[in-house]
Amino acid sequence: MLLKNLWCGKMSLRVGMASATVFGLLLLAACGGDSGTSALSDNGTSSSEEIQSSSSSPKVESSSSFILSGDSHEESSSSSSVELNCSALLEGETDWNWNVPKECRFNSGIAYDSMTDPRDGQIYKTVKIGDQVWMAENLNYADSVKTPSLLKRSWCYNNKAENCAVAGRLYTWLAAIDSLKLATDAANPQDCGLLKSCTLPDTVQGICPPGWHLPTDTEWIILFTEVGGESTAGKALKSQTGWNESGNGSDAYGFSALPAGLRYSGGAFGLGGYYAYFWSATETYSNPRYSYHGDADDMYLFSSYEETGLYHHDKGSAISVRCLKDGMSSSGEKAKSSSSNKDEAVSSSSNQSSSSNEDNEIDGDRCWDMPKEAYLNPEIDYGSMTDSRDGQIYKTVKIGDQVWMAENLNYADSVKTPSLKGKSWCYKNKTENCAVAGRLYTWAAAIDSVKFATDADNPQDCGYGKTCTLPAKVQGICPDGWHLPTKTEWETLFIEAGGESTAEKNLKSQNGWNISNGTDAFGFSAIPAGFGRTWIPEGFYFFYKGDYAFFWSATESTEYIGNIWAYSMELDYDYETENLDGSYKEFAHSVRCLKDL
């Protein structure tokens, strides 16, 4: 499915979750607490907006400050030592526990080295694997005065500073590559922001300490090869404890990867205990016919798999960073970023700016230069209905025993319906686009979440990051006598429209689609209205008008961890097969209402 391809994985369009059901489901992407002692606000940011000055930055004790009891070796430092009885702390622990200190997760059979980050004095374990020298723990650097790229782009898991002390910080890709440093480089300034592409140097220091850098895809692959190949590398790189579902590794080489999870670009945290992700300095290039540069590559580890590999997330997700020491790769020459081998690198000057939400659009070829009536099938005898709330009139059509709106909902009254406030948009923020293709709504808006929250008999908090027990019929923001269709009701439509293999072509409008229009055989007249989404803190963006249509269902996707998904129906520009799968609740999709029986 497109959304998973764009924001969480390596699957091609329409592959969706098929390649690994549980893996894909769980996938679908940093907390303000500093690693030091600054006071935290309710959202986990420090009182100085995550700015940790070098003058006030405390030196954080490393693992060498502890004596590890119950292990095969002891470590001490000149500073006061605290004894850790790791055997006792780990006794009975079968899953991830943030209360277990990182010192208890290292492999006691490995002779680790160490390095000190001169920027803040933090000490990190290091390990040599083949000819590469890696940090054996996640980066926990937070000084946004020295490194402005970090401001509001790095977090501790669940906004708890103590979690940074265990598993380091979670960084967006822009933070990881130190995008502001690249932009202000006097010799070769590069604008490597969200939805932009640039030609990165062979070695990207990013937010790593001097003498270290953010690894490229090539360098990750070298690591996989050195520890036995991708099919078993996951087990070899994962720590010996802490992974859920009996997914612990052998940690045979001392990489000691912890399941630190991620922060989704919408702001929710998830997958702690199940996944580890580490950024690469390599961008992901999507379908070249789009100017979309929203993803970057990463390495993943999953509790249920012994293998590993390269994946990709949207650049607004926040994941871990492991730094690699500068020098020679195991191939005998410096590893080069795969971004430098692209056939056609796109200059950053040709990409759209993300500074203005008015222009934040990743678009197809066609413009909506016709009124909405022009997208209806002239051979269909449509009915009509009037929305009593605002007087708008919508065409309707009967397909089987169901009566559907044949146009997208365009209801916007946030006074009568407070759920809509700040949660619905016209495409590209232009009112005339709503007149053609209706509004785009988040799932919380579509179900009218405020109405559920204020229900006197059964108040429920439903929305992003939350789950609730919805009634069998959810009116949501639909007019009286109509409701938001469930997953089952969408499936009924697919069957009536010819079955899975042809339903999409039969439901798409006869014009307006890039590459492949539909037959609109039943008058559903779906037009490619695209969708919208937020990247925090970068802003709100619009995508793929002319190529995709997404319609919300009233059914949550409970298979996904974190309660951040609901089912939506997807129609694509060049496929004849419909798709009904999970979508981020924060995304903004179209709404088609179904008449109550």
Side-chain angles (χ1 to χ4, degrees), residues 132-356:
Q132 296 176 320
V133 177
W134 290 87
M135 281 187 175
E137 48 187 297
N138 298 345
L139 187 67
N140 187 25
Y141 175 63
D143 193 335
S144 59
V145 174
K146 291 180 179 177
T147 311
S149 296
L150 294 177
L151 186 60
K152 297 183 180 180
R153 291 196 177 103
S154 79
W155 299 264
C156 299
Y157 192 93
N158 277 343
N159 293 324
K160 294 181 178 179
E162 58 267 30
N163 291 344
C164 273
V166 175
R169 296 182 75 81
L170 302 171
Y171 303 90
T172 68
W173 192 74
L174 276 66
I177 65 170
D178 196 353
S179 60
L180 290 180
K181 182 179 179 180
L182 292 169
T184 57
D185 183 279
N188 183 30
Q190 296 277 338
D191 189 0
C192 304
L194 191 67
L195 301 183
K196 300 175 181 178
S197 180
C198 61
T199 304
L200 293 170
D202 290 343
T203 299
V204 177
Q205 179 182 344
I207 52 170
C208 292
W212 297 72
H213 65 275
L214 193 67
T216 63
D217 283 0
T218 301
E219 289 169 323
W220 281 118
I221 292 170
I222 288 170
L223 174 65
F224 302 156
T225 302
E226 191 65 38
V227 300
E230 288 190 23
S231 62
T232 59
K235 187 172 183 65
L237 296 174
K238 291 189 294 185
S239 60
Q240 295 176 338
T241 63
W243 290 79
N244 293 349
E245 299 181 350
S246 301
N248 294 323
S250 67
D251 198 16
Y253 299 84
F255 191 81
S256 306
L258 302 180
L262 80 164
R263 181 187 185 270
Y264 297 98
S265 56
F269 296 89
L271 307 183
Y274 291 94
Y275 277 95
Y277 303 102
F278 303 98
W279 280 124
S280 167
T282 305
E283 284 191 284
T284 300
Y285 283 70
S286 298
N287 190 324
R289 78 185 208 86
Y290 306 116
S291 57
Y292 177 82
H293 300 284
D295 288 9
D297 287 352
D298 57 78
M299 185 270 270
Y300 71 88
L301 299 168
F302 178 39
S303 58
S304 296
Y305 296 151
E306 293 189 359
E307 66 263 27
T308 187
L310 295 173
Y311 211 70
H312 57 93
H313 277 81
D314 70 83
K315 295 174 182 177
S317 296
I319 64 178
S320 302
V321 164
R322 282 290 180 98
C323 298
L324 178 62
K325 192 172 184 179
D326 295 348
M328 307 300 286
S329 74
S330 61
S331 65
E333 60 182 49
K334 183 176 289 187
K336 292 186 178 181
S337 166
S338 62
S339 64
S340 64
N341 296 325
K342 299 296 180 181
D343 291 335
E344 296 182 12
V346 181
S347 169
S348 60
S349 63
S350 66
N351 292 311
Q352 290 179 311
S353 169
S354 62
S355 61
S356 169

Side-chain angles (χ1 to χ4, degrees), residues 63-69 75 79-85:
S63 58
S64 61
S65 303
F66 296 87
I67 297 175
L68 305 184
S69 174
E75 299 186 1
S79 61
S80 59
S81 298
V82 178
E83 184 172 347
L84 283 178
N85 188 336

